[in-house]
Amino acid sequence: MSAIERFPVEALPDNGLLRFLTCGSVDDGKSTLIGRLLFDSKTILVDTLHAMKRTSERRGLDIVDLSLLTDGLQAEREQGITIDVAYRYFTTGTRKYIIADAPGHEQYTRNMVTAASTADLAIILIDARKGVLTQTRRHSYLAHLLGIPQIVVAVNKMDLADYSPETFARIKADYLAFANQLGITDVRFIPMSALHGDMVVDRGDHLDWYDGPTLLEILESTPAVHSEHTEKFRFPVQYVCRPQDSANPELHDYRGFMGRVESGELRIGDAVTVLPSGRETRVKDIQVLGESQARAVAEQSVTLLLADEIDISRGDMIVKTGELPQVTKQIDAMLCWLSESPLDPRRKYLLRHTTRDTKAMLAGIEFRVDINTMERQTAERLAMNDIARVRFKLAQPIFADPYAESRGTGAFIVIDESSNNTVGAGMIA
């Protein structure tokens, strides 16, 4: 029975959008897991399934290679590995999903960081034959560092370990010992065989000793984004709307502030403060596509109209009065360096935080993290895939929250002005 068939159409609940990430060591079965999840939930198009069958037959396989659904790059198909981040979208009728399949090789750590930056849940796969590996630790550290609130450890390929409960228990104990060192406390474990479909969407016939939920049941019941704790309202201004229509005098004094709500919610009449000026006013109206509505919520793109005329431009931020972020020209952060060119302490970079850009210079590197051992090391510069605790001095103030409190206003990217390439991604401490 598919996920959609479990509920009558008129009774389908809406559990919101869930973004999740699959990661782990090379050949742990990440792409196969995603293929199995889509196949068993009946969300693969018929023509796509036929193409996968033909490719599998050309390779001499007796069953459909479900990893073909995500390993789209020719180089990946030839090598049998995932290089880039592959995204897939599906719905079960009760929830919408965005899946990111992250690469397993160490040299593609930066790709994993990109995929994890927006994820609400991480599935960390472990090969039942190999147990906890260095890449398992690396991806767990990154998932924890990037603030992914839910972590599920999927012990895959249980069919190659005779579906042994002792093997599952040993891997669970090994992982928990490592997770405790990092401060990861909330982890769920599930045994599975992505190849045969045991405990992915359906329970299967070989893991009757496991009485927990299937992977899909975990995904369906995971709390929706922005629902786990009360968040402060943050609205970075992206555009100031001043319509020029001489035929409509009502628009002459119209000034709307457009943007995306990063966190929290706002209602008409709420008192707000505009940063950096510190001016206070109230919300006169909230509009979506020209229609007034009572409130604005996280991840919603809206236009705010204020009761008073205040000089506001792109890069400013509107917050609720009494819930101010830190206004600062210096930040301490964990920085992931993404560029092939090393971080040059003598150069100026452009730091982009929400909709605000400012010149930035490195003020110091406190330590670099050895991803393999988790040890802190001294460093004078950073190479690609390095992660370090750094300090930046800024030419203009930003309005920031700690990343642990708000991923939207606690994150930033570093841009090389000469090439306009994104060279770093940071999380404010």
Side-chain angles (χ1 to χ4, degrees):
M1 181 180 294
S2 71
I4 296 177
E5 294 169 336
R6 292 188 180 116
F7 301 96
V9 173
E10 66 276 5
L12 287 176
D14 183 4
N15 295 332
L17 172 68
L18 184 73
R19 301 180 180 91
F20 70 91
L21 165 78
T22 59
C23 53
S25 190
V26 176
D27 202 30
D28 277 350
K30 300 180 295 297
S31 299
T32 301
L33 171 61
I34 294 176
R36 172 61 64 184
L37 189 60
L38 300 182
F39 182 81
D40 284 359
S41 60
K42 297 179 173 55
T43 53
I44 299 178
L45 298 177
V46 174
D47 55 347
T48 302
L49 184 58
H50 287 331
M52 292 165 58
K53 286 181 178 178
R54 289 195 299 270
T55 303
S56 300
E57 289 171 356
R58 286 200 300 269
R59 292 182 174 183
L61 301 176
D62 296 329
I63 60 176
V64 177
D65 183 357
L66 296 175
S67 69
L68 294 173
L69 195 64
T70 54
D71 288 344
L73 298 179
Q74 186 64 31
E76 294 178 359
R77 292 191 174 189
E78 292 173 354
Q79 299 177 53
I81 63 171
T82 301
I83 296 174
D84 204 353
V85 178
Y87 291 93
R88 287 296 179 269
Y89 311 86
F90 79 104
T91 179
T92 58
T94 61
R95 168 167 258 174
K96 296 181 178 68
Y97 295 94
I98 301 177
I99 316 170
D101 180 23
H105 277 73
E106 179 180 359
Q107 62 264 41
Y108 304 118
T109 298
R110 61 178 179 174
N111 303 59
M112 190 270 182
V113 170
T114 302
S117 62
T118 58
D120 309 307
L121 179 145
I123 301 173
I124 298 175
L125 270 79
I126 296 177
D127 189 326
R129 301 167 301 170
K130 301 175 182 177
V132 177
L133 301 175
T134 298
Q135 191 72 329
T136 311
R137 297 184 179 93
R138 180 182 296 113
H139 283 172
S140 299
Y141 172 77
L142 290 172
H144 181 59
L145 177 67
L146 288 159
I148 299 179
Q150 307 284 335
I151 294 180
V152 176
V153 175
V155 181
N156 193 28
K157 302 189 178 182
M158 288 295 295
D159 53 303
L160 301 179
D162 297 324
Y163 296 99
S164 167
E166 291 78 20
T167 298
F168 176 70
R170 174 178 51 80
I171 293 175
K172 179 178 179 179
D174 290 346
Y175 186 91
L176 283 175
F178 159 75
N180 289 335
Q181 296 175 5
L182 289 183
I184 302 175
T185 56
D186 188 11
V187 187
R188 304 183 74 170
F189 294 85
I190 179 172
M192 67 171 54
S193 170
L195 182 64
H196 298 289
D198 296 290
M199 290 300 164
V200 181
V201 173
D202 302 311
R203 300 194 67 84
D205 301 322
H206 302 95
L207 292 166
D208 53 353
W209 49 265
Y210 170 75
D211 58 3
T214 65
L215 178 62
L216 184 61
E217 288 171 342
I218 291 176
L219 297 177
E220 291 281 88
S221 61
T222 296
V225 63
H226 300 289
S227 66
E228 293 193 320
H229 60 274
T230 302
E231 298 178 316
K232 298 176 181 178
F233 179 76
R234 300 289 185 256
F235 184 79
V237 176
Q238 183 173 352
Y239 181 73
V240 180
C241 181
R242 295 292 304 273
Q244 302 296 323
D245 188 353
S246 58
N248 190 347
E250 292 183 0
L251 295 178
H252 180 73
D253 296 324
Y254 184 98
R255 178 178 289 187
F257 304 102
M258 307 176 75
R260 177 180 181 271
V261 180
E262 288 294 340
S263 60
E265 70 171 60
L266 187 73
R267 296 180 179 272
I268 294 177
D270 283 349
V272 293
T273 300
V274 179
L275 299 174
S277 67
R279 293 281 305 276
E280 297 183 9
T281 183
R282 290 191 175 273
V283 179
K284 183 170 67 175
D285 198 9
I286 300 172
Q287 297 180 355
V288 176
L289 299 177
E291 298 292 329
S292 180
Q293 61 179 42
R295 66 172 187 151
V297 297
E299 297 194 344
Q300 189 175 27
S301 295
V302 301
T303 301
L304 299 184
L305 277 67
L306 305 180
D308 301 295
E309 290 191 9
I310 300 177
D311 184 17
I312 303 175
S313 59
R314 174 182 170 86
D316 292 355
M317 184 179 289
I318 298 173
V319 303
K320 279 187 179 180
T321 300
E323 294 183 353
L324 303 185
Q326 182 184 12
V327 181
T328 181
K329 294 175 69 174
Q330 179 172 289
I331 56 171
D332 293 309
M334 294 298 295
L335 179 70
C336 304
W337 194 249
L338 311 176
S339 174
E340 294 179 358
S341 301
L343 170 64
D344 188 345
R346 300 165 297 179
R347 285 191 55 187
K348 288 184 179 179
Y349 292 92
L350 191 68
L351 187 142
R352 178 166 295 163
H353 175 262
T354 63
T355 59
R356 192 173 184 84
D357 292 349
T358 178
K359 296 286 183 65
M361 282 199 69
L362 184 70
I365 301 175
E366 185 176 338
F367 59 82
R368 184 182 73 88
V369 178
D370 185 324
I371 299 297
N372 297 323
T373 65
M374 305 304 157
E375 293 180 353
R376 298 180 177 184
Q377 304 172 339
T378 58
E380 295 183 357
R381 60 176 54 201
L382 301 180
M384 186 177 70
N385 292 328
D386 278 349
I387 298 175
R389 174 68 175 255
V390 302
R391 175 171 294 175
F392 279 110
K393 289 185 178 180
L394 313 177
Q396 301 293 329
I398 62 172
F399 323 116
D401 297 291
Y403 186 82
E405 294 181 9
S406 173
R407 294 169 79 180
T409 53
F412 63 88
I413 60 174
V414 181
I415 299 171
D416 184 336
E417 288 189 284
S418 61
S419 64
N420 205 35
N421 289 334
T422 300
V423 293
M427 293 138 284
I428 298 171

